[in-house]
Amino acid sequence: MSSSSPISPHGQQTRVALISVHGDPAVEIGAEEAGGQNVYVRQVGEALARLGWQVDMFTRKANPLQAEQVQHCPGCRTIRLTSGPAEFVSRDEIFDYLPQFVSELLAFQQREGFQYPLVHTNYWLSSWVGMELKNHQPLAQMHTYHSLGAVKYANVPNIPAIATTRLEIEKTCLETADCIVATSPQEEAHMRSHLSSLGNIQIIPCGTDIDRYGAITRTAARQKLRIPQDAKVVFYIGRFDPRKGIETLVRAVAQSQFRADDNLQLIIGGGSRPGGKDGLERDRIEGIVQDLDLANHTQFPGRISNDALPDYYAAADVCVVPSHYEPFGLVTIEAMASRTPVIASDVGGLQFTVLPHETGLLVPPKDVAGFSRAIDQVLADPPLRDQWGQAARKRVETTFSWQGVAQQLGQLYSDHLRQFTP
Ligand code: UDP
């Protein structure tokens, strides 16, 4: 190991690599295919850096104009490697470019004069990179799945050609990585039931910024966004993807008892690129809004920036997460941190974050009437909304702050790094 690698006072290496081939931690969030994984990697990287780690986050270059390196804060940077054409490539098409990603990473280490003793890989594509690197150097591999092929393919009509490869790699990764980080007990249970009984899993949830979310009151947020104080605001934020269940939400709002109320507002936030895949879903959703005669009640503000998002969450009476499946669901804890109750599908990690009748409600996925009743229950009862909102905030403070999550991850890394220090 080169002497340029930082060493903690306890003699332990503190340099680690987070690998996120398709989820660039330095891009703006909300557009096509940029979502929770990008946020997770960036926030984990920055929070670990604040704890004294040297964090390099590797991703593939998806645009010739992108900088090769982005410094986020002292000790945390994004490094973009060439891996196939410097253009957007759908995650189902990236696999063939991964050998180039590995050789670029090896060349980077050689140029810099050190080797990473630990990598934390994200999503199955990066897990392959981590497993491949292990053939070249001593390395501890931590892995977060973000999505499991076996669960995803059970919920989509068209199975892509890459599915068999993905399923094999996800199983091998569970059985061979030094530690798998599951973000909820539900995700761990899915790994065991769908992938393998072998392998080491530890549960460390996703986190959120408890200072940024929850700093503004509902009244002030509505003033800023010019939303009337007596409006009934239902909020969705996220990618436009059929699996996010936005159609269920729109149909549920169309059945609301407040439908005739001029003050009912449905805000559907999230980005799309003209002509992009998510643009098609957005057009489809806009069509349903028109068909159901909801256009007067509905806004599509597009991608909502980091700065504006806390205002939207705080302004809402209720945030709805109607996904068909969600391994964790960052939106849920962002809303909860903002003291806004969440109505979510009764699936995956949403069963972990939302406490029914304490911080919100869980409804079977795609159950339009169920979502409609749940939304109406919160809209009809502001004291209940406030009670659940306060309890939601408390739950996030105790369980889902990035600082707490980074401390747990740092401890996990330290435990595995000991074997690399003399
Ligand atoms: N997001 C955002 N602006 C948008 C849309 C989404 O900042 O316009 C963020 C949102 O705040 C959350 C992430 O994208 O942090 C979505 O993560 P989640 O886990 O809910 O869903 P995923 O995208 O991973 O399916």
Side-chain angles (χ1 to χ4, degrees):
M1 189 63 56
S2 151
S3 59
S4 65
S5 292
I7 307 279
S8 78
H10 313 291
Q12 175 194 290
Q13 299 293 334
T14 59
R15 188 184 287 280
V16 292
L18 303 187
I19 302 181
S20 179
V21 176
H22 88 283
D24 184 333
V27 294
E28 294 196 323
I29 308 303
E32 183 170 7
E33 291 210 353
Q37 181 176 326
N38 311 59
V39 174
Y40 175 89
V41 175
R42 166 91 170 258
Q43 294 295 333
V44 162
E46 291 185 3
L48 285 167
R50 286 194 291 275
L51 294 175
W53 294 84
Q54 295 283 318
V55 185
D56 288 340
M57 308 188 288
F58 288 91
T59 192
R60 71 175 282 279
K61 193 166 184 166
N63 179 331
L65 302 176
Q66 283 175 328
E68 308 256 309
Q69 289 198 18
V70 179
Q71 190 76 39
H72 298 283
C73 62
C76 179
R77 59 183 170 166
T78 290
I79 297 156
R80 296 191 173 107
L81 302 179
T82 301
S83 172
E87 62 189 37
F88 173 79
V89 177
S90 143
R91 59 184 92 176
D92 287 341
E93 313 287 329
I94 289 179
F95 185 68
D96 288 345
Y97 303 122
L98 294 183
Q100 189 184 6
F101 193 95
V102 172
S103 40
E104 289 274 317
L105 216 166
L106 290 169
F108 178 88
Q109 289 185 131
Q110 198 154 36
R111 277 199 307 279
E112 299 281 321
F114 57 74
Q115 288 184 334
Y116 298 97
L118 182 145
V119 296
H120 184 161
T121 53
N122 294 272
Y123 196 63
W124 72 274
L125 292 165
S126 308
S127 80
W128 186 87
V129 171
M131 292 191 281
E132 213 28 49
L133 277 175
K134 270 190 160 182
N135 295 327
H136 294 267
Q137 64 195 62
L139 186 72
Q141 183 183 8
M142 315 286 116
H143 180 69
T144 303
Y145 281 96
H146 295 277
S147 150
L148 287 175
V151 176
K152 178 178 171 176
Y153 298 142
N155 285 293
V156 293
N158 303 316
I159 312 277
I162 197 71
T164 315
T165 309
R166 174 177 179 175
L167 294 172
E168 261 171 38
I169 289 172
E170 287 186 336
K171 181 171 188 289
T172 309
C173 178
L174 171 54
E175 293 178 346
T176 62
D178 296 83
C179 187
I180 300 294
V181 176
T183 54
S184 66
Q186 288 73 14
E187 196 189 8
E188 180 184 25
H190 276 122
M191 289 173 200
R192 289 298 181 220
S193 60
H194 288 77
L195 297 185
S196 175
S197 57
L198 304 176
N200 179 25
I201 303 176
Q202 185 169 329
I203 297 172
I204 301 178
C206 292
T208 196
D209 185 337
I210 58 172
D211 298 324
R212 208 157 60 81
Y213 294 111
I216 186 166
T217 63
R218 181 167 288 108
T219 309
R222 288 188 176 198
Q223 266 163 5
K224 259 175 104 174
L225 296 173
R226 297 177 200 281
I227 295 174
Q229 294 299 337
D230 60 350
K232 298 201 177 298
V233 180
V234 180
F235 182 50
Y236 168 89
I237 177 79
R239 291 178 296 115
F240 275 78
D241 180 318
R243 281 173 297 117
K244 287 287 182 184
I246 307 173
E247 176 173 354
T248 307
L249 168 62
V250 172
R251 295 193 183 282
V253 168
Q255 290 184 10
S256 165
Q257 68 181 81
F258 298 101
R259 171 72 201 264
D261 187 334
D262 284 347
N263 276 332
L264 178 65
Q265 287 199 17
L266 171 59
I267 302 178
I268 302 179
S272 65
R273 304 182 315 161
K277 206 165 82 185
D278 65 340
L280 288 180
E281 175 63 358
R282 183 171 159 157
D283 291 348
R284 195 179 75 85
I285 296 295
E286 282 188 359
I288 297 170
V289 166
Q290 295 288 346
D291 289 349
L292 296 174
D293 209 12
L294 271 181
N296 287 343
H297 294 282
T298 310
Q299 292 173 40
F300 291 94
R303 194 188 82 78
I304 300 181
S305 70
N306 262 344
D307 290 344
L309 203 44
D311 301 339
Y312 278 89
Y313 282 122
D317 289 289
V318 63
C319 178
V320 183
V321 183
S323 312
H324 301 168
Y325 181 73
E326 199 69 71
F328 185 83
L330 281 175
V331 161
T332 308
I333 55 172
E334 291 166 2
M336 289 167 66
S338 311
R339 299 182 181 79
T340 296
V342 175
I343 294 171
S345 295
D346 192 5
V347 291
L350 303 173
Q351 296 170 326
F352 175 49
T353 46
V354 176
L355 301 179
H357 305 284
E358 277 182 52
T359 69
L361 290 168
L362 291 172
V363 178
K366 304 183 193 170
D367 179 352
V368 171
F371 271 96
S372 191
R373 276 194 303 275
I375 290 167
D376 282 352
Q377 185 178 348
V378 178
L379 293 184
D381 192 346
L384 181 78
R385 173 201 68 194
D386 293 345
Q387 185 191 322
W388 287 359
Q390 290 298 346
R393 169 76 195 178
K394 219 168 183 170
R395 174 152 175 73
V396 174
E397 283 173 1
T398 49
T399 316
F400 303 118
S401 76
W402 278 128
Q403 202 193 335
V405 168
Q407 267 158 4
Q408 292 178 64
L409 285 171
Q411 186 59 52
L412 175 71
Y413 296 174
S414 294
D415 293 345
H416 285 274
L417 281 168
R418 285 205 186 95
Q419 58 188 296
F420 291 96
T421 41

